Amino acid sequence: MRLAYTEKQKAFRAEVRAWMADHVPAAPLPSFDTEAGFAAHREWERTLNRNAFSAVTWPKHLGGRGLDLIEWLIFEEEYWAAGAPLRVNQNGVFLLAPTLMEYGTDEQKARFLPRMAAGDDIWAQGWSEPGAGSDMAAIRSKAVRDGDHYVINGQKTWSTRAVWADWLFGLFRTEPESQRHHGLTFVLLPLNLPGITIRPIQQLNGLPGFAEIFFDNVRVPVENRLGGEGEGWKICMATAGFERGLMLRSPARFQQTARQLVDLYRANRESADADPAIRDAVLKSWMDAEAYALATYRTASRLAKGGQIGAEASTNKIFWSELDLLMHETAMSILGARAELMAHAPDAGDIGHWLDGFLFAQAGPIYAGTNEIQRNIIAERMLGLPRA
């Protein structure tokens, strides 16, 4: 791996930086866990798409720029450095899209990907169920074949932003008597079909960032199946690999938070140095964020040569989720009582975003597969240890 950028990569960085300077909203958008914020973030997706910045690694005919992973990392670095809005369609762009690229038919790619890039279809994830969270093999929701349709019954839960999303990708049991990871099928379905009921679930901050979804004899065309019938486990494991391994959380996100943490420490150094552990935590946060970036560049270089991400995706997921927690816990310690200021509080200034980040970081060790499950994967698949 060469730790130097080519002239082409430098030119791309300059282009992205200039575009972001011209287009990133001057004021932060409302939370995308509100109806107005969701609409504002959808419009941002459309703005990105007008310059093919919504999904830079996709082929041009599907709405992308046809760039490689190194260029994607450059784009992400400039995106986060510019303070651009969070991506409301991250489930679609970063999780479902790579899965569609690998397992979808040409017709499915042409049907779904351009609308996803344009922000016309915002996607939610439908894996978790009551009794089947990180243990997806316990899924019980059924999709029974009836001619050229599946009839779906059951319930999904903890579906992020499903309250306002347009489509859902989910895993359903197509062989009613099957057990564990057998007999599951990956299905794509619009959330406005008859028989679907969506109920919001409030987050810690009171906003309906999650939802539970109920299916009552919902009919979905067979052509909405991704991959073969009964192949759902294999396909969803590929999606989970994308989620944990590379695309969902680029290192630039954590590098930007680490830089902000260093600035926060410098601005409050007199009080922060009263506890030597704070300085050590700030230093460790910055070093870990840089180390994660270098490790990701190494992974991207390996993938460019034809390599694949395997069980190591679990190590990535544990690393970035615990790093995010450390950075926000350290910020809370620096701020002291001021850490309780919400972003919209009159005197919050630029402090309030730390509490939002701290609350969200609590979910990091849980979503995308709990860290406990990831440690089991590392033990069994990477280290070859016996199953407990």
Side-chain angles (χ1 to χ4, degrees):
M1 184 180 78
R2 292 181 63 243
L3 290 174
Y5 296 109
T6 66
E7 292 304 315
K8 177 173 175 284
Q9 290 166 343
K10 292 177 182 176
F12 177 62
R13 182 185 293 281
E15 178 194 350
V16 177
R17 185 173 296 178
W19 189 91
M20 292 294 167
D22 289 339
H23 292 85
V24 170
L29 300 181
S31 170
F32 51 23
D33 293 331
T34 65
E35 187 170 9
F38 190 91
H41 281 79
R42 185 196 291 271
E43 189 56 37
W44 171 246
E45 295 287 334
R46 289 171 171 153
T47 300
L48 286 172
N49 184 60
R50 283 195 280 274
N51 204 44
F53 277 163
S54 179
V56 295
T57 59
W58 294 9
K60 292 181 179 178
H61 71 281
L62 294 175
R65 281 196 164 214
L67 303 182
D68 61 27
L69 287 175
I70 299 298
E71 290 162 318
W72 169 71
L73 287 167
I74 292 171
F75 175 81
E76 287 286 302
E77 288 167 3
E78 295 302 322
Y79 189 93
W80 286 96
L86 295 172
R87 301 292 303 273
V88 72
N89 211 11
Q90 59 185 0
N91 278 329
V93 172
F94 300 133
L95 303 185
L96 176 59
T99 314
L100 269 166
M101 297 284 187
E102 187 165 345
Y103 292 99
T105 63
D106 289 342
E107 291 75 14
Q108 287 175 325
K109 294 173 188 175
R111 176 185 175 191
F112 293 117
L113 291 173
R115 288 185 58 82
M116 188 189 299
D120 292 335
D121 292 334
I122 307 294
W123 287 77
Q125 187 184 71
W127 284 351
S128 294
E129 297 182 3
S134 290
D135 182 13
M136 290 196 296
I139 280 173
R140 292 183 295 178
S141 289
K142 297 177 181 177
V144 177
R145 185 76 177 260
D146 180 19
D148 56 358
H149 282 73
Y150 288 110
V151 179
I152 295 180
N153 285 281
Q155 178 186 354
K156 299 291 181 181
T157 192
W158 304 117
S159 187
T160 306
R161 283 175 286 286
V163 178
W164 298 291
D166 306 292
W167 280 75
L168 180 92
F169 60 91
L171 204 58
F172 298 89
R173 196 165 290 283
T174 44
E175 296 176 28
E177 304 305 321
S178 60
Q179 298 292 321
R180 303 298 295 167
H181 56 278
H182 301 286
L184 295 167
T185 297
F186 203 115
V187 180
L188 316 172
L189 66 158
L191 284 170
N192 61 355
L193 290 175
I196 292 181
T197 301
I198 301 174
R199 295 178 183 168
I201 301 174
Q202 288 188 344
Q203 301 178 134
L204 280 172
N205 59 10
L207 299 178
F210 301 111
E212 54 185 347
I213 306 169
F214 299 87
F215 305 90
D216 182 11
N217 290 320
V218 177
R219 296 182 67 83
V220 180
V222 171
E223 65 189 29
N224 283 22
R225 184 187 67 211
L226 181 57
E229 190 169 288
E231 294 181 352
W233 183 257
K234 177 183 70 175
I235 299 172
C236 84
M237 285 298 100
T239 308
F242 297 128
E243 186 175 23
R244 298 163 186 161
L246 197 64
M247 300 298 285
L248 180 64
R249 293 288 180 258
S250 72
R253 177 190 185 111
F254 306 110
Q255 287 177 294
Q256 179 65 8
T257 303
R259 285 192 289 267
Q260 292 173 340
L261 181 63
V262 170
D263 290 343
L264 183 69
Y265 167 73
R266 285 173 171 164
N268 298 272
R269 188 165 186 172
E270 186 174 345
S271 58
D273 279 348
D275 181 357
I278 290 179
R279 181 176 179 175
D280 291 345
V282 172
L283 180 60
K284 176 175 171 50
S285 296
W286 187 87
M287 292 175 62
D288 283 357
E290 293 299 310
Y292 181 50
L294 290 173
T296 305
Y297 268 98
R298 183 180 63 182
T299 300
S301 297
R302 181 163 53 81
L303 293 176
K305 296 176 182 177
Q308 293 183 328
I309 292 182
E312 71 182 70
S314 296
T315 63
N316 286 359
K317 197 271 171 172
I318 292 172
F319 191 87
W320 59 248
S321 61
E322 294 188 348
L323 169 60
D324 204 30
L325 268 178
L326 171 65
M327 290 192 292
H328 285 92
E329 287 171 350
T330 305
M332 296 292 102
S333 297
I334 293 174
L335 289 169
R338 292 177 296 159
E340 297 181 12
L341 285 171
M342 301 290 287
H344 59 269
D347 298 325
D350 59 356
I351 290 176
H353 72 92
W354 284 109
L355 180 57
D356 280 345
F358 173 75
L359 294 175
F360 185 78
Q362 307 307 306
I366 301 172
Y367 69 77
T370 66
N371 284 7
E372 288 78 7
I373 292 291
Q374 305 316 307
R375 288 189 165 89
N376 281 345
I377 292 172
I378 292 169
E380 295 169 11
R381 302 181 195 174
M382 294 181 70
L383 303 178
L385 298 177
R387 189 166 188 168

